């Protein structure tokens, strides 16, 4: 049996993601583009299949991407063969250069449920910034926690380019003490009623409370930290929003 890695986007997961999330939401893309400047060096960790990175490339920005999933990066390269990307676990990523702007959209930081690792990654991101550089990223919040259910339920069903049916089944459990949303998932590929392939994913996210991430960022040494509740840059002041977006400067 294949090892089930936490939050690793395998082939079936990548296929479904590409079908359902091929393009970045326009308001979210515009938000991250608003911080970009020509001639500045940009980094997108956890870039996936490139739904944000490619629009930056198309607009002439000097952008680099990192992702652990070979399957997701293969999707990116198919669309943008000249993209500057590295396949690496961000926790082990080492590079000598620095960046003027780093952004991590779509709540991807929440995928790091080991808080010691998360703090280490935040520190690494700060160290990768130039003087005056900025990091902007989003996390999921406790407001969006899902009810517990013990049975797998079909969450999505799509048709692949080959005409097969790709189904996602998921169940949920929220642990209040660790603020972790556990969502084990099964991807199944069917040709009619014949199961061609299945893939398990151990999907976990840490859901944040207001003020929690701010404390981590202050300990990292960021000079300026602003917390928004949406892409219209309305300031957050409690947990009653589905995301927190942080704008941090060194």
């Amino acid at each position: 049996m294949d090892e089930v890695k936490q939050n690793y986007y395998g082939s079936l997961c990548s296929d479904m993601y590409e079908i359902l999330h091929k393009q970045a939401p326009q308001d979210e893309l515009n938000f991250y583009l608003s911080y970009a400047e020509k001639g500045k060096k940009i980094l997108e960790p956890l870039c996936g299949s490139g739904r944000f990175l490619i629009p930056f490339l198309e607009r002439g920005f000097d952008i680099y991407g990192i992702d652990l999933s070979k399957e997701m990066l293969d999707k990116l390269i198919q669309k943008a063969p000249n993209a500057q990307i590295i396949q690496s676990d961000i926790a082990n990523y080492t590079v000598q250069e620095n960046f003027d702007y780093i952004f991590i959209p779509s709540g991807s930081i929440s995928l790091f449920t080991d808080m010691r690792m998360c703090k280490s990654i935040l520190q690494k991101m700060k160290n990768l910034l130039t003087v005056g550089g900025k990091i902007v990223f989003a996390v999921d919040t406790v407001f969006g926690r899902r009810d517990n259910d013990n049975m797998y339920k079909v969450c999505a069903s799509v048709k692949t380019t080959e005409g097969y049916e790709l189904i996602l089944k998921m169940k949920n459990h929220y642990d209040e003490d660790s603020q972790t949303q556990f969502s084990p998932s099964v991807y199944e590929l069917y040709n009619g009623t014949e199961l061609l392939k299945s893939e398990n994913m151990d999907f976990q996210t840490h859901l944040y409370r207001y003020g929690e991430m701010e404390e981590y960022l202050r300990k990292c040494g960021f000079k300026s930290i602003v917390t928004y509740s949406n892409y219209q840059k309305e300031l957050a002041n409690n947990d009653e929003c589905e995301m927190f977006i942080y704008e941090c400067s060194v």
Side-chain angles (χ1 to χ4, degrees):
M1 181 178 293
D2 293 338
E3 179 185 2
V4 181
K5 298 179 182 178
Q6 181 179 329
N7 294 334
Y8 184 86
Y9 286 61
S11 60
L12 295 184
C13 176
S14 298
D15 287 345
M16 178 168 279
Y17 189 92
E18 184 69 5
I19 293 169
L20 294 178
H21 308 289
K22 191 167 187 176
Q23 294 183 327
Q26 196 61 51
D27 59 342
E28 188 176 3
L29 175 60
N30 290 341
F31 176 85
Y32 290 106
L33 282 170
S34 71
Y35 294 92
E37 296 180 36
K38 295 290 179 62
K40 301 291 186 180
K41 190 170 289 187
I42 302 169
L43 175 67
E44 185 192 357
L46 312 175
C47 63
S49 60
R51 62 179 185 152
F52 286 90
L53 187 145
I54 291 173
F56 273 73
L57 274 180
E58 291 173 343
R59 289 162 172 79
F61 291 108
D62 183 16
I63 185 168
Y64 297 73
I66 310 168
D67 203 279
L68 177 60
S69 172
K70 179 181 183 300
E71 291 84 350
M72 291 292 270
L73 291 180
D74 285 346
K75 301 283 187 189
L76 194 163
I77 288 298
Q78 288 172 15
K79 295 179 288 186
N82 296 323
Q84 303 174 101
I85 57 170
I86 298 171
Q87 183 191 352
S88 174
D89 184 341
I90 190 174
N92 301 320
Y93 174 67
T94 56
V95 69
Q96 300 301 317
E97 57 193 335
N98 293 92
F99 299 88
D100 303 290
Y101 171 39
I102 299 174
F103 72 98
I104 309 175
S106 306
S108 295
I109 282 288
S110 288
L111 297 173
F112 297 99
T113 55
D114 181 329
M115 301 318 295
R116 288 176 298 179
M117 178 179 289
C118 182
K119 293 173 189 176
S120 173
I121 289 168
L122 291 170
Q123 187 67 61
K124 177 173 289 189
M125 293 299 101
K126 175 184 176 293
N127 295 342
L128 285 174
L129 287 170
T130 58
V131 176
K134 186 170 292 186
I135 180 170
V136 183
F137 66 96
V139 300
D140 299 325
T141 76
V142 292
F143 184 77
R145 59 186 177 273
R146 302 186 188 97
D147 294 333
N148 293 344
D149 53 69
N150 296 319
M151 300 290 291
Y152 281 102
K153 298 178 181 178
V154 175
C155 299
S157 177
V158 299
K159 286 289 186 182
T160 68
T161 54
E162 299 84 4
Y164 300 139
E165 184 177 16
L166 178 55
I167 295 173
L168 167 61
K169 299 176 181 177
M170 182 183 291
K171 59 183 180 179
N172 292 289
H173 169 69
Y174 179 66
D175 182 74
E176 192 75 45
D177 292 336
S178 64
Q179 296 169 219
T180 303
Q181 183 79 56
F182 295 90
S183 301
S185 306
V186 181
Y187 294 84
E188 295 178 340
L189 184 66
Y190 287 91
N191 181 12
T193 59
E194 180 188 2
L195 178 62
L196 301 177
K197 184 179 180 182
S198 66
E199 182 178 281
N200 293 329
M201 181 177 181
D202 179 18
F203 192 71
Q204 301 179 21
T205 52
H206 181 83
L207 306 185
Y208 284 84
R209 297 189 183 279
Y210 179 71
E212 181 182 356
M213 175 59 79
E214 289 85 339
E215 181 181 351
Y216 301 157
L217 294 168
R218 283 192 291 270
K219 288 181 179 178
C220 284
F222 285 99
K223 294 179 180 177
S224 173
I225 303 166
V226 182
T227 307
Y228 301 117
S229 62
N230 54 44
Y231 299 119
Q232 289 70 50
K233 296 192 176 182
E234 295 180 20
L235 295 177
N237 51 32
N238 56 43
D239 294 338
E240 300 299 308
C241 54
E242 293 186 352
M243 73 179 79
F244 296 131
I245 310 166
Y246 303 96
E247 176 188 311
C248 313
S249 302
V250 296

